[in-house]
Amino acid sequence: MPAIKVGISLPTMADLAPKGFPGIAAGARHVEQAGLDSVSVSDFIMGNGAPALEATVALSAAAAVTTRVDLRFSLLVLPLRNIAWTAAQIGTLQHLSGNRVILGVGSGGAPGTPFWQAVGAAAEGRNTRLVRSLELLPGLLAGEETTLPDGTALTLAPAVPAPPVLVGGNSDNAIRRAALHADGWLPSMVSPATVARGVAKLREAAEEAGRPAPSTTVWLHAGLGDEESVRSARVAFEKSLVDMYGLSPEEARLVPIGGSPKEAAERFAAYAEAGADHLDLLVDGGDWERQVELIAEARALL
């Protein structure tokens, strides 16, 4: 069976925090103590009053109380951010954490919201800005003099190893950007069969470009056990996949991971067989700390 790592996505929006979630720092510590491989945070500030934590600061809190787990952005919206400031933040986090950062990036799922307007980020051209940021970031992190789009020559220190970069998105364009400009692909809410098709395209595009085959991390929802809150959360999530993302009911049932630890381990294995290297799981329903322990139990069965 191919090896696969499993981590937990820490909820950074208040309405996603399930029962028993102890907060970012305590949650990260619990994930590490459970023996899982990573913690992650998402970057999704709307600016409309919905509570949301800023991703870099939240992941810094996780870094301060852990020593082993990977620290993942799933994902950071680069076109929303000034690349010089972002490089300084990522470099600082990489330096202080002992080089544990994994940088998932994307072009943004909510352009035009008040926060985008407030920071002066245009929806148009955001994919081009994403690629340009990916081109500039390695030199900035390496402490090299780097010329920014406005002509400014910038050198940051201390130099740090560039973290692995994963490009988020399910589309063929996202797969191609990952193959040409990154170390990995980060799709979300997809079945093993969809992952397998995407991985085949990813490897083909990388081979054509003469680049190593990128890794694949899949972002999913998980709720183990059979209690009512877990079942309800899973049914609601499956419905959202049909209503909001256009999946068929049959495919939607294949995306969330549930059941017993043994059944969850079988689902982990299915994603591994499809070509996934890492699963990033957002807990749905049930007691959060207990869910983490059940997921760790499933991971140990592989």
Side-chain angles (χ1 to χ4, degrees), residues 30-295:
H30 186 66
V31 171
E32 182 165 85
Q33 291 170 346
L36 291 168
D37 300 295
S38 67
V39 294
S40 71
V41 299
S42 297
D43 185 22
F44 200 75
I45 301 176
M46 300 286 287
N48 61 358
L53 302 178
E54 196 282 322
T56 308
V57 176
L59 203 55
S60 298
V65 297
T66 59
T67 60
R68 179 186 56 79
V69 290
D70 287 343
L71 305 165
R72 291 179 167 254
F73 289 94
S74 295
L75 42 77
L76 197 67
V77 183
L78 285 188
L80 186 63
R81 297 166 175 267
N82 175 284
I83 186 57
W85 187 247
T86 299
Q89 289 181 306
I90 298 301
T92 299
L93 183 58
Q94 183 79 317
H95 177 76
L96 294 177
S97 70
N99 305 324
R100 290 187 285 140
V101 176
I102 309 292
L103 181 58
V105 301
S107 59
T113 56
F115 191 74
W116 277 68
Q117 296 173 18
V119 300
E124 297 77 16
R126 62 188 187 275
N127 287 325
T128 299
R129 297 200 305 277
L130 170 63
V131 171
R132 183 59 177 146
S133 293
L134 291 177
E135 292 170 345
L136 294 170
L137 195 57
L140 289 168
L141 293 174
E144 300 169 358
E145 183 176 272
T146 303
T147 302
L148 303 182
D150 67 357
T152 301
L154 180 68
T155 304
L156 298 178
V160 297
V165 174
L166 317 180
V167 169
N170 298 354
S171 68
D172 286 350
N173 284 338
I175 292 171
R176 183 161 182 80
R177 280 193 291 273
L180 298 182
H181 302 287
D183 305 292
W185 175 44
L186 178 57
S188 62
M189 298 180 291
V190 287
S191 68
T194 301
V195 171
R197 290 192 292 270
V199 167
K201 294 177 182 178
L202 182 73
R203 292 173 178 170
E204 181 180 0
E207 184 177 358
E208 289 176 356
R211 301 188 74 239
S215 65
T216 298
T217 295
V218 186
W219 192 87
L220 297 166
H221 284 225
L224 275 60
D226 199 38
E227 59 188 272
E228 178 57 33
S229 63
V230 174
R231 289 199 306 272
S232 298
R234 187 161 57 244
V235 169
F237 178 61
E238 290 173 7
K239 186 176 187 302
S240 75
L241 291 175
V242 174
D243 295 343
M244 297 173 59
Y245 296 95
L247 272 65
S248 68
E250 294 75 21
E251 184 170 13
R253 283 192 288 273
L254 296 175
V255 173
I257 292 180
S260 67
K262 181 177 182 298
E263 290 170 319
E266 291 170 355
R267 296 293 311 285
F268 295 169
Y271 279 99
E273 292 290 346
D277 303 282
H278 195 109
L279 298 180
D280 190 4
L281 305 180
L282 180 65
V283 170
D284 274 333
D287 179 87
W288 190 88
E289 290 188 326
R290 178 57 180 154
Q291 284 290 315
V292 169
E293 292 161 5
L294 290 170
I295 291 167

